[in-house]
Amino acid sequence: MSPLVVDVVLGGAVVWLAWMSLASRDLFRSVILFIVFGLLMALTWVRLEAPDIALAEAAIGAGLTGALLLDAAAQFTRHGAAVPAAGEPAPASPAPAVDGGEEGATRGSLVLGGLAVLALGGMLVFALLRLPSGTEGLTGQVAEELPRSGVEHPVTAVLLNFRAFDTWLEVSVLLLAALAALIVRRSRGVGDAAEPRAADPVLAALPSVLVPLMVLAAGYLLWLGSHAPGGAFQAGAVLASAAVLLLLAGRRSITALGGASLRLALVLGVLAFLAAALATLLGGSLLLELPPARAGTAILLIEAAVALSIGATLAVLFAAARPVPSSGYGSRGEAAPP
Amino acid sequence: MSAFALYSLVGFALFCIGLHGLITRPHLLRKLLALNIMGSAVFLFLVAVAYRNRDAFPDPVPQAMVLTGIVVAVSTTAFALSLARRLHAQTGRTTLAEEQPE
């Protein structure tokens, strides 16, 4: 039972980081503070005995989200922000880190923000105080059914067996997001997001060392999920990070995948669940009711497909966020980059 | 004060900070950061409830929900970023055009 002072320090640091991240005037600094916030949240998950979530938060919440945000912040600060319509045009700012042109909060939004915080915050406090105080919950039921689920780790059993339908829907949502990003980009793939080989020799050589290790780590995390914290999401996040690293170093990455193989990689997770659903329905059981004898193997196969799919989808989301470099669309109006 | 109470309070503070930032900060990227912070606040509360309900292990159902939530949050953020970057590449703006200053 760790002392409460650790919790107070951790909680206070998390709140302070969130406040500073939103209050900072420098966009780059906001993003960096948010990444640190994500890492401290991972520590909070460890403190609350949720190691699966800590792994996922570190890889996805801090790592991939941080990479996405940094990439976006680089674009926003490189070309400058909006030119104010009134007053003088934005000067060629010698301090590119400050997002010039943004005036900060308006008075109306501050009033609205204060009111919203009071109203919603009040409702939250009211709901919190009315929580039933007995230790209810589903821990007992999960513990009872765990031996028949095919795995030994309770979170994996919930995700891939008891609530497998929710995970199926989640993988579908991920696929939808990738499709939507590609549609916004108006491209059929991400081949044009490829970069030239990085000039920095360390960055150019880094994937040769790291990517094999990351693939190995992803495989280990995948296998680990059956009896310890780990599983498909964490493995998929590590795979996505490897693909993003290759992309940033200018090596062959997700951008090299052609039309058919890209689509297959994206839908593999949804297809795996579909196959399992059809197999259980045709076998006479309920939807996704895995038979205890074969549940372990089935879960491992589904997890492998889901991990590959998550890796591909997150990498595609990263690449698709980058605007098309050709003259597909350029900046209109008077805000021409210098 | 139990760990559950403390982290519920932290989650409440994070939610309020995120909500306030979402409404008051005009830059699209900061609105996304605020949304993510609000999401983390909700996850924190769910995991605190799971911790409170622990027996041999913490309640795995809220933890599975949070795991799902993290993945959905990153895909939402990624899509929102692709929209924001497209908006910026096409118009040079990083804020939503609410009212014209003139």
Side-chain angles (χ1 to χ4, degrees):
Chain A
M1 178 69 184
S2 34
L4 198 66
V5 77
V6 173
D7 295 326
V8 170
V9 169
L10 200 53
V14 156
V15 170
W16 183 82
L17 277 171
W19 176 260
M20 289 304 297
S21 169
L22 291 180
S24 170
R25 287 196 39 117
D26 179 4
L27 199 63
F28 188 66
R29 192 156 166 251
S30 286
V31 174
I32 294 292
L33 285 171
F34 178 77
I35 296 176
V36 180
F37 165 81
L39 289 176
L40 280 195
M41 285 303 290
L43 282 183
T44 311
W45 303 139
V46 173
R47 169 62 187 96
L48 286 172
E49 293 185 28
D52 302 76
I53 304 179
L55 285 172
E57 176 82 43
I60 303 178
L64 272 166
T65 310
L68 281 165
L69 290 167
L70 280 175
D71 212 34
Q75 175 186 339
F76 292 149
T77 54
R78 193 189 318 135
H79 296 299
V83 174
E88 89 278 20
S93 174
V98 177
D99 46 337
E102 179 204 338
E103 293 113 24
T106 66
R107 164 140 309 168
S109 70
L110 274 174
V111 168
L112 184 61
L115 282 177
V117 167
L118 277 177
L120 279 173
M123 276 166 33
L124 258 184
V125 170
F126 183 64
L128 279 177
L129 289 175
R130 296 192 64 190
L131 268 185
S133 55
T135 52
E136 294 133 28
L138 294 165
T139 317
Q141 292 184 28
V142 174
E144 272 177 39
E145 302 289 334
L146 192 58
R148 300 193 320 140
S149 67
V151 294
E152 288 144 32
H153 187 54
V155 176
T156 308
V158 171
L159 271 175
L160 270 299
N161 194 339
F162 305 145
R163 310 286 314 191
F165 186 63
D166 299 342
T167 310
W168 188 9
L169 292 180
E170 170 202 350
V171 184
S172 314
V173 167
L174 208 53
L175 174 64
L176 272 178
L179 281 178
L182 285 174
I183 289 174
V184 166
R185 198 168 191 269
R186 275 198 252 154
S187 63
R188 288 173 166 273
V190 286
D192 47 7
E195 283 196 6
R197 195 169 176 109
D200 178 11
V202 174
L203 180 57
L206 205 59
S208 308
V209 175
L210 280 185
V211 169
L213 289 175
M214 288 167 99
V215 172
L216 195 61
Y220 177 63
L221 279 171
L222 185 66
W223 170 81
L224 202 59
S226 65
H227 57 274
F233 299 118
Q234 294 85 349
V238 174
L239 284 178
S241 309
V244 168
L245 179 61
L246 283 170
L247 175 65
L248 291 174
R251 311 273 283 263
R252 280 172 61 89
S253 178
I254 195 82
T255 51
L257 274 185
S261 24
L262 185 65
R263 282 175 212 152
L264 182 63
L266 288 179
V267 304
L268 203 59
V270 180
L271 281 183
F273 272 109
L274 184 63
L278 285 176
T280 51
L281 280 178
L282 293 176
S285 337
L286 299 173
L287 179 74
L288 286 175
E289 184 188 8
L290 301 175
R294 282 189 288 222
T297 323
I299 288 179
L300 192 59
L301 287 174
I302 296 177
E303 273 197 308
V306 167
L308 279 174
S309 212
I310 289 180
T313 311
L314 289 175
V316 165
L317 277 170
F318 181 88
R322 306 176 138 205
V324 178
S326 66
S327 60
Y329 44 84
S331 52
R332 297 198 205 123
E334 67 273 35
Chain B
M1 185 184 260
S2 67
F4 168 71
L6 176 70
Y7 283 111
S8 303
L9 215 60
V10 171
F12 172 71
L14 282 179
F15 188 81
C16 292
I17 290 175
L19 181 62
H20 187 258
L22 176 66
I23 295 181
T24 56
R25 301 293 278 161
H27 197 286
L28 286 175
L29 199 65
R30 287 210 182 78
K31 285 192 194 285
L32 274 178
L33 290 182
L35 267 177
N36 273 304
I37 290 174
M38 284 170 75
S40 290
V42 174
F43 298 155
L44 183 57
F45 184 65
L46 277 173
V47 175
V49 168
Y51 181 72
R52 191 186 69 157
N53 289 343
R54 69 190 182 285
D55 190 2
F57 40 78
D59 194 350
V61 179
Q63 290 193 0
M65 288 166 65
V66 169
L67 206 49
T68 304
I70 289 179
V71 175
V72 172
V74 75
S75 55
T76 309
T77 303
F79 176 54
L81 278 175
S82 68
L83 281 175
R85 291 177 75 166
R86 174 84 194 265
L87 177 72
H88 175 258
Q90 200 145 344
T91 64
R93 283 203 320 261
T94 53
T95 61
L96 299 172
E98 258 128 7
E99 65 261 10
Q100 296 306 314
E102 56 227 331

